[in-house]
Amino acid sequence: MAARDWRAIRAFEEAGLPYEVRLVSFGAMKEAAHLALHPFGQIPTYEEGDLALFETGAIVLHIATHHAGLLPDDANARRARSHGCLPRSTQWSRRSLNS
C-alpha cells in the first residue's frame, strides 16, 4: 500500500469506523468498474452508500466532517479546525493526482 492509502486507513482507525481493504491489481484499476469509482484508475477509493470518493484528501475530509473523532465536538472549534485542514487536504489531493 502507498502512503496515501495509509492516510485514509488512519482516518478510519482514529474515527473508530469499520473499513474494508480491497486489493486491486494494476490491470483491474484500468477496468470500467474501477474507473467508475476513480476516473484516473488509481487508488484509494471510498464508497458510502451512493457516494464514491477517490482522492485521499477528500476521503479524509469526508470522514472528519461526517463522523466523530477527528474534529472537535464544539461547532466553533470544529469550524476553525476544519478550515485549517482545507489547505492540507488540497495539497493531499494534488499529490494524489500527481502520483
Side-chain angles (χ1 to χ4, degrees), residues 74-91:
D74 176 65
N76 290 328
R78 185 179 177 114
R79 190 170 22 263
R81 180 77 174 145
S82 65
H83 287 305
C85 291
L86 291 176
R88 276 181 278 175
S89 65
T90 303
Q91 290 172 355

Side-chain angles (χ1 to χ4, degrees), residues 6-64:
W6 287 110
R7 290 182 198 126
I9 290 171
R10 177 90 187 259
F12 283 109
E13 293 283 339
E14 292 290 327
L17 297 172
Y19 61 91
E20 176 185 346
V21 174
R22 288 181 282 180
L23 300 179
V24 182
S25 70
F26 287 111
M29 285 193 283
K30 303 303 178 190
E31 293 175 2
H34 186 73
L35 290 171
L37 299 174
H38 195 306
F40 303 119
Q42 298 176 346
I43 52 175
T45 61
Y46 170 69
E47 298 171 74
E48 183 180 297
D50 293 336
L51 175 68
L53 298 173
F54 59 87
E55 295 294 348
T56 304
I59 294 168
V60 171
L61 186 61
H62 174 79
I63 294 167

